[in-house]
Amino acid sequence: MKRKVIALAVLAACSGGVWAQSNVSIYGVVDTGYVKQTGRDIYMGANQDNKIGFRGSEDLGGGLKAIFQLERRFDLNDGTLGNTSIPAGRGSSGASGADWDGAANVGFENSEWGKIRFGRVNELSTETIRRFDPFYQYGVGSMIMSSQRSARVSNTARYDSPAWNGFRFGALYTLGQNTKGTGGISGYDNDGYGINLSYDNGSFQTTANWSRTSDSDDSSVWNIGLGYKFGPARVTLLYEDSDSKGRRNGGNINYKGTTNPKTDESVWLLGLEWDIGPGQLDASVQYARLKNVRDRSSGVRVAGFEGGTKDTYKYALGYTYNLSKRTSVYGQVSFTDYNDAATGNFYSGMERDSVTGIQLGMTHKF
């Protein structure tokens, strides 16, 4: 018994020393609800990503800090690694398989020149453009995702500048898996790059990105977003264009037996965020165009896409009611009108030319 007491005392003393040197915070989100989509049974799913994270810093002197972040994603309905906030569809399998799927990085920060992080980080293009989707790319109201959507990237160095008169700049570089000529996936290897320029003066916001995702056969994405806030409302407009030449960063793109088809995708979104009472009304109208869906090897059009261009329209409406600063309940409804059943299958995994989605749930942040 005495040994246990002594061991605990030593552990407490050591822990106290570590925490005194570093500023560490624990944060997270727990979110769950019910989702019903045309052609699917009702299931439990999240709106925001369920996660628990650790973020810390240490003052190194001269305005320089050492920083780190670790973030784990999980499905609240069964406690497994995963991410049910990702809309169901082709390629949306949830967890990446990593224990620290959300973030795993370390770096330096300075108020004058910004911060640089190394490891697993948010992908710049995804992180910045999602702020112009009223649904933040969450739930059934989310913007239509392209084949090259990568929320986070590994083996990456990312730089973020401080704000200079409202302007911010970001850049990242990702190592491909075949960088040293071994391992990886033959025929898809390339390093990844990304740049971002954003501006925010309070009432007007804009962002522009270009990125080339790693291990994707040089596939690329560029997008631009505009937002204007007046009174309790904010209007947004975004455009995204994706040139997918095959594999997506982090996994294959499979469609009806065709592995890694080439695609050209673009999406327009007009959004509205409006503070009403203790909550926020969200709405969006989207138009997406999918063309040149071809087999990567043969160049032949994939079955169902012989005609070329396919159009999709999506309408979404939602409301979030804040019960407190950390707890809220929400409801979303959306209707997606696909060009045909083949297009519906490509985006939703179902042979349907239209899908209606309804989602109800609650969120708590800590």
Side-chain angles (χ1 to χ4, degrees), residues 202-214:
S203 59
F204 174 73
Q205 310 86 36
T206 185
T207 193
N209 296 276
W210 177 88
S211 66
R212 172 157 288 164
T213 54
S214 65

Side-chain angles (χ1 to χ4, degrees), residues 191-205:
D191 289 352
Y193 310 89
I195 56 173
N196 163 260
L197 181 62
S198 296
Y199 175 73
D200 186 348
N201 69 1
S203 59
F204 174 73
Q205 310 86 36

Side-chain angles (χ1 to χ4, degrees), residues 112-131:
E112 294 184 0
W113 51 259
K115 62 183 175 181
I116 184 168
R117 289 168 286 171
F118 304 93
R120 182 170 174 82
V121 298
N122 285 350
E123 205 277 329
L124 263 173
S125 178
T126 301
E127 179 184 284
T128 55
I129 201 66
R130 74 185 312 167
R131 299 170 184 171

Side-chain angles (χ1 to χ4, degrees), residues 336-349:
T336 309
D337 184 12
Y338 299 107
N339 190 103
D340 51 28
T343 310
N345 185 281
F346 186 88
Y347 280 115
S348 71

Side-chain angles (χ1 to χ4, degrees), residues 170-298:
L172 61 77
Y173 170 68
T174 302
L175 296 174
Q177 293 186 38
N178 281 331
T179 301
K180 296 184 178 180
T182 59
I185 298 159
S186 176
Y188 294 97
D189 173 57
N190 64 272
D191 289 352
Y193 310 89
I195 56 173
N196 163 260
L197 181 62
S198 296
Y199 175 73
D200 186 348
N201 69 1
S203 59
F204 174 73
Q205 310 86 36
T206 185
T207 193
N209 296 276
W210 177 88
S211 66
R212 172 157 288 164
T213 54
S214 65
D215 298 317
S216 64
D217 197 19
D218 290 325
S219 300
S220 61
V221 179
W222 70 270
N223 51 47
I224 185 169
L226 301 169
Y228 182 72
K229 185 174 178 61
F230 53 96
R234 178 176 181 246
V235 176
T236 61
L237 177 68
L238 73 80
Y239 174 77
E240 181 170 271
D241 188 280
S242 302
D243 177 17
S244 178
K245 297 179 181 179
R247 179 181 166 84
R248 176 184 57 231
N249 177 294
N252 291 323
I253 304 167
N254 298 304
Y255 175 71
K256 298 185 72 173
T258 302
T259 300
N260 301 329
K262 294 183 176 182
T263 61
D264 292 325
E265 298 172 75
S266 58
V267 59
W268 288 90
L269 182 148
L270 177 64
L272 172 67
E273 302 166 2
W274 191 357
D275 295 332
I276 299 178
Q280 178 176 290
L281 177 73
D282 298 309
S284 69
V285 177
Q286 301 178 50
Y287 165 71
R289 182 177 61 186
L290 175 65
K291 63 179 182 179
N292 296 328
V293 183
R294 299 175 180 271
D295 182 270
R296 178 179 182 270
S297 301
S298 66

